[in-house]
Each structure stands twice: as structure tokens, then as C-alpha cells.
Amino acid sequence: MARPKRNLLATAQATSSPPASLDDNHAIACVQKAEGKNLYLVKLPKRPDPLLVEMPARFRSQIWVKPGGYVLIDTAAFLDRDNKLDGEIVNVVREEKEWRKQSYWPPEFAKKSTYPEDSDDEESTVGKMPPSDDSDGQE
């Protein structure tokens, strides 16, 4: 049986705006890949090894996370349990522009330009003919 639409709308409303501040055990992470049905491998900004986190039941089959997306994780959620999980997803970043404006957004996750920086050394070849090969006509 499908979940009521009010649950879906409540979940979408809860994830649409960023919190004012983060708790000590919360962190923003970048999703690297899905490891299972509700498990995701995420990368924290100042940690070289990825973490395995679980998607809670309230987000399952309602909000999807793609690789390269951002989530808010709770790293203290599974400290009392002895398993391979390192945390739980608390929130899914959907309105990325609003989240990036917050003071707690990691500088390591700064948005990179899709175009490489223009260098002043190279001259633009837009609208110019390709160089001619003069060796053909002068023999």
C-alpha cells in the first residue's frame, strides 16, 4: 500500500530549507555511490576515507540521492551499535544554492566552474581561418 501524499509533502518540506546551525555530530557529505538498497558511500571534506551511511525509512522511496549530491549526516547515530555503518542521513540537500549560502558549508565543496579559466597567453581562434600550409604550392 502506498504512503499517504501528506507524508511525501511533509518530507519534501522538511528537506527544502537548510537548518540555521549544525550540531557537533552533524556534517555535510558528498555522495560517492550507492552501496545497497539504503546504504550510501559518502565523502567528508576533511577525511580521506569514505563513510558508509544509511538512509532512514522516512526518506526511502520518496527522495532519491544521486552520486555527486550532498547530504547532511549524523555520525553519532550508530556509535552504540557494533556494525559497519558510520552514520545516518539526517537531511538531503535539495536546494543547493540556499545551503551554499550558510556559514557551515565546507569550502572544499565550493562550486567549481564548468569552463576552464581563460588564459591570457593564448590568442583566440574564433572566426579565424586555419593556418595554411605553404609547402604545397612552392616546389
Side-chain angles (χ1 to χ4, degrees), residues 64-119:
W64 283 264
V65 182
K66 62 181 180 179
Y70 297 100
V71 292
L72 181 65
I73 63 169
D74 182 8
T75 55
F78 294 111
L79 288 179
D80 55 340
R81 293 170 38 184
D82 187 32
N83 58 11
K84 62 182 178 179
L85 295 175
D86 297 314
E88 180 181 34
I89 296 174
V90 177
N91 203 342
V92 178
V93 176
R94 292 181 45 222
E95 299 292 331
E96 194 174 318
K97 280 186 176 181
E98 290 184 29
W99 283 77
R100 287 185 182 277
K101 294 177 185 175
Q102 301 298 323
S103 61
Y104 52 77
W105 187 266
E108 290 85 357
F109 292 150
K111 190 141 183 136
K112 296 178 181 86
S113 174
T114 56
Y115 300 106
E117 293 294 324
D118 292 334
S119 66

Side-chain angles (χ1 to χ4, degrees), residues 9-67:
L9 294 174
T11 303
Q13 180 68 26
T15 61
S16 64
S17 61
S21 63
L22 296 181
D23 294 340
D24 292 338
N25 53 353
H26 287 182
I28 295 177
C30 181
V31 176
Q32 290 185 331
K33 68 178 185 172
E35 283 290 316
K37 186 172 181 173
N38 301 309
L39 300 176
Y40 292 90
L41 205 60
V42 298
K43 176 92 170 87
L44 287 176
K46 295 180 181 174
R47 193 167 172 173
D49 54 332
L51 301 175
L52 187 65
V53 296
E54 180 183 31
M55 170 104 40
R58 70 182 182 128
F59 292 135
R60 295 177 190 167
S61 300
Q62 292 187 10
I63 295 179
W64 283 264
V65 182
K66 62 181 180 179

